[in-house]
Amino acid sequence: MSGVTVLVASYAGAASAPAHVRLAGLVGTLPGETLVRRDAAGPVVVFDDAAEAITAAKALRAASLDVPAGELVRIAVHTGIATGPAVRHAEQLLEIANPGQTLLTASVPVPPDEVADLGVHRLRDLGSPERIFELTSTSESPAATLTPAPGEARAAPLRSLDLVPNNLPVMFTSFVGRQTQLAALRTQLSGNRLVTLTGPGGSGKTRLAAQVAAQSAERWPDGVWWVDLATVTESVQIPEAVAAAVGVLVETGDSTRLLIGQLRARRTLLCLDNCEQVIDAVAEFVLALQTSCPEVSVLATSREPLDIQGEAVWRVPALAPDEAMTLFTERAGVEFPDSDKAIRSICVRLDGLPLALELAAAWVRTLTPEQIEAGLDDRFGLLTRNARGVSARQQTLAASIDWSHDLLDPDERQVFRRLAVFAGGFTLDAAQSVCGTSAVLELLARLVDKSLVVAEGGRYRLLETIREYAGLRLRDSGEQVRDLHLDYFLAAAEAAEPLLDGDRDAWRAVIEPDRENYRAALDYGLSTDPDRGRRLAAALPWMWNLRATGPEGIGYLRRAIDSAPDERSLLQARLLYGYATIADTVDPFGYDAAGRGLELATELGDERLRSLFLALVAVGKFFTGFQRAWELTEEGRRLAEGTGDEVARDANLALQCVLLALWDRHDELTPLFETVIPGLLARGERGVATTVLLVRSESLAATGDLWQAIDVARHALATAEPLADFHRVGTARGQLATLLARSGRLDEAYELMRPLLDLVDAAVVPNLGQVMGLLSYRSGDHDAAAEWIRRDVDPDGPLAETYIPAMLLPLYAAALHNPADVLERAVTLARRYNLPRILADALDQQGRSLIDEQPDQAAELLHEALTIRVDHGLRAFIVDSLESLALLANHTNRPADAARLATAATVARAEMGYAATPDQPTLPGTDEPPLTLDEAVAYVRRTRGARGRPSSGWASLTPTEREVVALAVEGLSNPEIGARLYMSRGTVKTHLAHVYAKLGVANRTELASLKKASPGPS
């Protein structure tokens, strides 16, 4: 590689002045040119030949071992094109070295057998990660020793930026100068929790802040997180942007509190860049952060201070003249030995502002430094006009950009100003649509060369300061490009809509990068052209649904709907559908968009939309009326199947899966799962797929396949995670943690829930109380379990009239040691909503609580619970029934029966991986071969009769069988009985078969006659 090779050396840690003198003397004996630099951390030697530099490094290492503290000497070698950048890079490499190490970058040519590959590391100059090597051979001097050979362990890792979690931006140019400011800022940051860098646009605030953060990163073991607020326009977006940077989940609407909850115990640095456009909101956010998070520090950049207590304001000065000249020369990429005077003049006249210097340096491909200097003459007349309300530095920057703008040709100017309409970046296609010329690619390339446009991975953007300037030029031109911007993104959104039915992941990949542009287009469209704005809103609901930004989406859609409240069009129906889709997990009861949409879709005769709306209306009915929800989904399913629309069909099937699972009709669930899950996953409908997979996992666990249930729950979590959706990820984590707890893996369960536990006060994680209640109960902490669940089972709470308390009351009762009133409420609600598993749990706990004082009543309840569990295939919970009946047998002096049942239960638990709770009583065992689960059920029924009743006659009927008889005698058909009792027609048929056998009748007619002659128990 051509260029120069730089060797730098220093001591690791503090060293005495004589030691530094000795090191300088050793370096002075080396060949090469020794540089004298005021800001150098140690001696620097430059070589024209890399091999000579390596030989010198070996000699220096050997010589240093013969002097006091020589073992602390560290050396770095780097080859670069130009001396200045090469020296700085070598010094950054030296900073990560440990005592006694000689480090090389990959640019230094060295035989492989002389170096150890230390892997890829990121230096603190914020460049891209690069491969680092260690020199493992020394000079042939007898005093030389070998550093550790390749593969040998070293006591400490390299002190690179990778040691601390961070997302600091990659900088593609070197950081020039400001060493004094860096040192002062690091000191300032060590003594203040809030430091704000202020200054005009282009003064280098961002770069300086990033460099300070990188050099101070080791002070924050929980991470240094960069948050660019350039595109943030609303206060609610600030905590969302911070959460995204840190990698935690929040929910729009209460995001600040949720974020603070997760940062409270962390020692971290937040770097908030470009705060000026939301300065008041940032100030409020930082104040809340500092109040609640004692070990979180903030480094902010803004054109004005945040103006809050405790803020240390650092006004970023211009570059010193020498630093400015270095910056100009390095950015130009060309040496100008005869133009020193012109370059110095440029730097002074541009007031040392980095952005202005970079813009000027971009023209060296076209102009000489003298021509650039001359080009500033007229433009700097602005600086003498004393423009009111504008700072001198702002005038300077405006002058530099004015000058750069005036040097553009007319086509470049037009493209430049029109690009101001984009928010958050743009593609080439978008630029072509807005700029109205076929030569956009060539013009963009020229603007990139002139540092007016940034190219990143196939997209482009304007630096915010440049974008503001371009916006002023656009307004002055009178060109109406916001209409073109709206047209482009409306067309893009509508063109992408078919992907929603085929590949939703692909749809997100198309839409998500332009989220800011869609926001801007919506704001403009809904304000100035409601028709186009409404069309755009109707095409985008899944943009908000998939990223947990529901409240924002509801705001846009409500504006769109209310702009034509009486319109009876397909567009209005689509807007209502979008609103209802988002409201599903954000505000299901706040606005009846689904009901209004269903009415409108019916009026318009749109069968697809009607089917989709039926599912959404069913969601609204779900909490209080399962049967009505089922009827709606049945109608929606029939409509969708009639039109061959799998998307609408699966929307209804998904809710049917949930209902069937709650009704414990698991035999009917499997074919539905096999129908709906593959399509949802193939289409990328991750949200609905997550819900159905979680239902599948619970069904598998309840019916005895806990291992597969855990696998399916993991699949659900993996499906949800790409959505970054708080609701779905939280639900999936909760279900997986529940299953892990049931299998006895409590440590794993707690670890899975740990990221969500800081949110307990906000209680926004779905099912958090239920999940943590179960984990606490299975950990033996009954008081904590009750506390977790208490709010959701409050008889006067907001959920009191829904099915939710019924699901939680058995566990709540167990945590409170089974108070009679709580169990009675559990039984009542479980019967009301027809929740067989919950009813069986409550009956089983009632029975256990009565074993000592009312064993006969206990037997009745325990056998009823067992029958429910057997009838619904709840094999995991049949184990609980066997243990309860074993306790009863033991109490009633039947130790042999107790031993058989307890042993069968123990074996079944082991086979299913279903762990016992810590409070499980000790039961007698037996040496007999254990009964299988089915044999144990048959045995306990034989020894007592089904639930302790006679084997025949009216007294032998179960309560459910009596209900079936009553409805059959009324003349209801099997499907009608099933609908009334929330069971399948197959289950009704089975109950009737049992009834016929017990009563000795052959059909309904004989049953009715027998009932009339001998009504039996009611």
Side-chain angles (χ1 to χ4, degrees):
M1 175 179 180
S2 61
V4 297
T5 299
V6 176
L7 181 154
V8 295
S10 73
Y11 289 98
S16 65
H20 283 291
V21 171
R22 283 194 299 269
L23 179 60
L26 292 175
V27 172
T29 65
L30 301 177
E33 178 187 1
T34 301
L35 298 185
V36 179
R37 300 175 63 238
R38 287 178 300 173
D39 58 349
V44 179
V45 185
V46 178
F47 300 85
D48 294 327
D49 182 4
E52 189 178 10
I54 294 301
T55 300
K58 294 176 182 178
L60 178 60
R61 172 63 62 205
S64 68
L65 295 175
D66 293 330
V67 300
E71 70 276 8
L72 299 179
V73 171
R74 51 187 182 174
I75 303 169
V77 183
H78 169 66
T79 299
I81 299 297
T83 301
V87 170
R88 285 197 297 275
H89 199 70
E91 289 177 333
Q92 290 295 325
L93 177 64
L94 189 68
E95 285 298 310
I96 74 170
N98 293 301
Q101 281 188 310
T102 300
L103 300 185
L104 319 171
T105 62
S107 64
V108 183
V110 182
D113 59 350
E114 294 188 20
V115 295
D117 186 347
L118 302 185
V120 174
H121 297 268
R122 194 174 180 203
L123 307 186
R124 294 176 190 254
D125 61 0
L126 294 174
S128 299
E130 60 183 296
R131 191 164 296 280
I132 305 300
F133 297 89
E134 181 178 3
L135 190 66
T136 56
S137 63
T138 64
S139 127
E140 296 179 358
S141 164
T145 62
L146 293 178
T147 58
E152 290 186 50
R154 185 170 288 280
L158 294 183
R159 300 166 60 249
S160 67
L161 198 53
D162 308 297
L163 284 180
V164 175
N166 73 89
N167 69 333
L168 289 171
V170 174
M171 301 296 183
F172 296 103
T173 55
S174 59
F175 181 79
V176 176
R178 299 198 190 275
Q179 295 305 309
T180 301
Q181 296 169 43
L182 276 175
L185 270 171
R186 291 182 64 181
T187 301
Q188 187 86 280
L189 195 56
S190 68
N192 296 275
R193 291 182 54 213
L194 170 61
V195 176
T196 303
L197 277 63
T198 65
S203 59
K205 301 183 295 295
T206 294
R207 188 62 190 270
L208 180 57
Q211 199 65 43
V212 171
Q215 292 193 0
S216 309
E218 66 276 4
R219 289 192 51 231
W220 289 279
D222 293 321
V224 174
W225 306 109
W226 189 265
V227 187
D228 186 358
L229 301 178
T231 61
V232 170
T233 57
E234 301 291 338
S235 59
V236 71
Q237 297 169 348
I238 295 171
E240 293 173 6
V242 173
V246 178
V248 298
L249 297 171
V250 298
E251 186 172 56
T252 302
D254 201 13
S255 49
T256 298
R257 182 162 50 155
L258 301 181
L259 176 62
I260 286 173
Q262 296 176 84
L263 295 181
R264 186 172 289 118
R266 297 196 187 190
R267 188 177 177 189
T268 192
L269 175 67
L270 295 180
C271 305
L272 306 181
D273 190 33
N274 296 306
C275 300
E276 50 271 2
Q277 75 279 8
V278 282
I279 190 73
D280 292 336
V282 172
E284 181 179 352
F285 170 76
V286 171
L287 189 60
L289 197 69
Q290 294 205 307
T291 302
S292 303
C293 303
E295 295 198 277
V296 173
S297 296
V298 176
L299 179 63
T301 74
S302 175
R303 296 187 186 182
E304 60 181 304
L306 302 186
D307 198 23
I308 59 178
Q309 256 188 335
E311 179 185 27
V313 178
W314 181 275
R315 300 193 182 278
V316 178
L319 289 171
D322 287 346
E323 293 175 338
M325 290 182 67
T326 300
L327 178 66
F328 180 91
T329 302
E330 287 192 11
R331 296 300 189 262
V334 181
E335 296 285 346
F336 298 100
D338 298 323
S339 299
D340 185 85
K341 182 179 178 181
I343 294 173
R344 183 173 296 276
S345 175
I346 291 170
C347 295
V348 170
R349 295 171 70 181
L350 291 181
D351 207 21
L353 290 174
L355 179 56
L357 292 167
E358 294 194 2
L359 290 170
W363 286 100
V364 297
R365 296 181 186 179
T366 306
L367 304 173
T368 67
E370 288 75 13
Q371 288 173 318
I372 295 172
E373 181 193 18
L376 293 175
D377 287 343
D378 292 339
R379 296 305 171 195
F380 273 93
L382 291 171
L383 299 179
T384 63
R385 292 177 186 170
N386 193 27
R388 292 191 179 97
V390 180
S391 72
R393 285 196 179 92
Q394 286 174 317
Q395 293 174 26
T396 301
L397 181 60
S400 68
I401 303 176
D402 267 337
W403 164 75
S404 294
H405 178 266
D406 287 348
L407 288 175
L408 300 176
D409 66 34
D411 289 341
E412 289 172 338
R413 291 182 192 176
Q414 182 187 58
V415 168
F416 172 64
R417 64 176 175 263
R418 288 190 169 202
L419 294 178
V421 77
F422 291 108
F426 52 91
T427 63
L428 177 61
D429 285 344
Q432 287 172 332
S433 294
V434 166
C435 295
T437 172
S438 60
V440 165
L441 178 58
E442 178 187 350
L443 292 167
L444 271 177
R446 279 148 56 182
L447 292 172
V448 169
D449 281 344
K450 295 174 174 62
S451 298
L452 292 171
V453 174
V454 178
E456 296 174 326
R459 290 179 63 84
Y460 302 87
R461 66 181 175 88
L462 275 65
L463 297 176
E464 194 57 28
T465 301
I466 301 298
R467 180 172 174 262
E468 290 178 11
Y469 177 88
L472 292 172
R473 288 289 182 174
L474 181 61
R475 285 195 289 275
D476 290 345
S477 74
E479 294 172 321
Q480 298 300 316
V481 297
R482 294 193 71 180
D483 284 299
L484 298 173
H485 180 269
L486 173 57
D487 283 339
Y488 175 80
F489 285 103
L490 173 59
E494 292 182 337
E497 279 190 282
L499 290 172
L500 287 170
D501 290 346
D503 188 346
R504 202 155 289 184
D505 284 342
W507 183 88
R508 286 195 304 133
V510 169
I511 298 297
E512 188 59 38
D514 281 304
R515 178 179 284 261
E516 300 302 326
N517 280 310
Y518 284 113
R519 281 172 167 157
L522 273 169
D523 283 327
Y524 176 73
L526 292 174
S527 299
T528 63
D529 189 341
D531 180 62
R532 287 188 296 165
R534 281 159 51 82
R535 284 170 55 196
L536 183 56
L540 293 175
W542 287 98
M543 183 175 80
W544 297 292
N545 182 282
L546 293 177
R547 285 293 303 273
T549 51
E552 177 186 87
I554 280 179
Y556 280 120
L557 285 158
R558 191 64 180 266
R559 282 175 63 191
I561 292 167
D562 290 349
S563 67
D566 300 323
E567 184 175 302
R568 310 298 290 174
S569 66
L570 180 60
L571 176 58
Q572 187 79 336
R574 292 177 60 222
L575 289 167
L576 289 165
Y577 172 71
Y579 188 106
T581 298
I582 300 171
D584 177 14
T585 56
V586 176
D587 185 21
F589 307 116
Y591 178 66
D592 187 22
R596 290 180 58 189
L598 176 59
E599 179 184 337
L600 184 52
T602 302
E603 176 185 319
L604 297 170
D606 190 309
E607 296 294 276
R608 171 187 166 85
L609 262 181
R610 188 161 180 266
S611 175
L612 291 168
F613 272 121
L614 284 165
L616 290 170
V617 173
V619 170
K621 302 294 184 185
F622 180 78
F623 291 94
T624 55
F626 290 171
Q627 184 58 31
R628 180 56 183 151
W630 178 268
E631 291 166 357
L632 289 163
T633 59
E634 277 285 86
E635 183 181 356
R637 178 180 175 180
R638 285 195 301 271
L639 280 174
E641 289 174 343
T643 60
D645 191 319
E646 291 188 3
V647 174
R649 180 203 65 183
D650 290 350
N652 287 278
L653 283 180
L655 190 54
Q656 289 191 335
C657 286
V658 178
L659 290 166
L660 289 174
L662 288 168
W663 285 331
D664 287 303
R665 288 158 58 173
H666 300 282
D667 55 336
E668 298 174 60
L669 265 175
T670 299
L672 283 195
F673 287 136
E674 292 173 352
T675 298
V676 73
I677 289 176
L680 291 172
L681 293 174
R683 292 191 298 271
E685 292 186 72
R686 292 179 177 273
V688 181
T690 297
T691 298
V692 178
L693 285 167
L694 293 176
V695 170
R696 173 67 167 155
S697 74
E698 183 60 31
S699 176
L700 286 165
T703 54
D705 197 342
L706 187 56
W707 305 121
Q708 188 180 353
I710 290 173
D711 287 342
V712 173
R714 291 192 191 281
H715 186 191
L717 179 56
T719 299
E721 283 177 331
L723 301 178
D725 180 286
F726 199 86
H727 178 90
R728 293 178 176 93
V729 173
T731 302
R733 279 181 174 263
Q735 173 64 9
L736 180 54
T738 295
L739 298 179
L740 290 171
R742 290 185 196 167
S743 70
R745 295 149 69 180
L746 281 166
D747 288 345
E748 290 180 60
Y750 274 113
E751 190 62 31
L752 194 67
M753 296 302 291
R754 199 170 308 282
L756 308 175
L757 292 182
D758 290 333
L759 307 174
V760 58
D761 292 336
V764 296
V765 181
N767 305 325
L768 182 62
Q770 180 178 3
V771 175
M772 295 310 301
L774 177 69
L775 267 59
S776 298
Y777 183 81
R778 284 188 164 267
S779 299
D781 191 344
H782 291 190
D783 290 341
E787 192 59 35
W788 275 109
I789 301 169
R790 193 182 315 279
R791 178 170 54 183
D792 290 339
V793 298
D794 184 353
D796 297 319
L799 301 175
E801 297 306 315
T802 72
Y803 77 98
I804 300 296
M807 304 294 293
L808 302 176
L809 281 168
L811 178 60
Y812 184 61
L816 296 176
H817 307 291
N818 295 325
D821 60 329
V822 176
L823 286 173
E824 188 57 41
R825 184 181 171 214
V827 169
T828 299
L829 289 177
R831 291 192 189 279
R832 178 189 302 171
Y833 289 104
N834 187 30
L835 301 167
R837 179 173 69 84
I838 302 303
L839 176 59
D841 288 349
L843 292 171
D844 190 86
Q845 288 170 225
Q846 279 186 324
R848 283 199 182 202
S849 69
L850 296 175
I851 285 176
D852 290 340
E853 299 180 1
Q854 301 179 54
D856 290 342
Q857 179 64 20
E860 186 77 11
L861 293 165
L862 294 177
H863 277 276
E864 184 177 355
L866 173 63
T867 297
I868 292 170
R869 287 165 171 169
V870 171
D871 287 350
H872 290 85
L874 302 172
R875 296 182 68 79
F877 303 104
I878 290 173
V879 174
D880 295 324
S881 280
L882 294 181
E883 289 170 343
S884 297
L885 289 164
L887 289 170
L888 176 64
N890 199 49
H891 179 75
T892 54
N893 298 316
R894 293 182 288 127
D897 288 347
R900 288 189 185 95
L901 297 179
T903 301
T906 299
V907 171
R909 278 192 183 279
E911 290 175 347
M912 288 188 284
Y914 181 34
T917 57
D919 58 351
Q920 180 66 37
T922 301
L923 290 165
T926 178
D927 293 332
E928 297 179 4
L931 301 174
T932 66
L933 198 63
D934 292 332
E935 289 171 342
V937 170
Y939 175 80
V940 78
R941 285 178 160 177
R942 283 198 309 273
T943 58
R944 184 176 173 84
R947 288 188 291 151
R949 295 187 180 85
S951 59
S952 62
W954 289 110
S956 70
L957 300 187
T958 69
T960 302
E961 288 169 348
R962 293 172 192 169
E963 290 181 293
V964 171
V965 168
L967 295 174
V969 169
E970 286 182 23
L972 275 67
S973 66
N974 285 5
E976 291 170 333
I977 295 172
R980 185 76 63 88
L981 299 181
Y982 308 109
M983 62 180 65
S984 69
R985 65 186 68 182
T987 302
V988 174
K989 185 177 180 181
T990 299
H991 281 307
L992 284 173
H994 291 164
V995 168
Y996 295 161
K998 291 176 180 180
L999 299 182
V1001 297
N1003 52 47
R1004 285 174 176 252
T1005 302
E1006 293 181 12
L1007 177 63
S1009 298
L1010 182 63
K1011 177 71 174 175
K1012 184 176 181 181
S1014 176
S1018 59

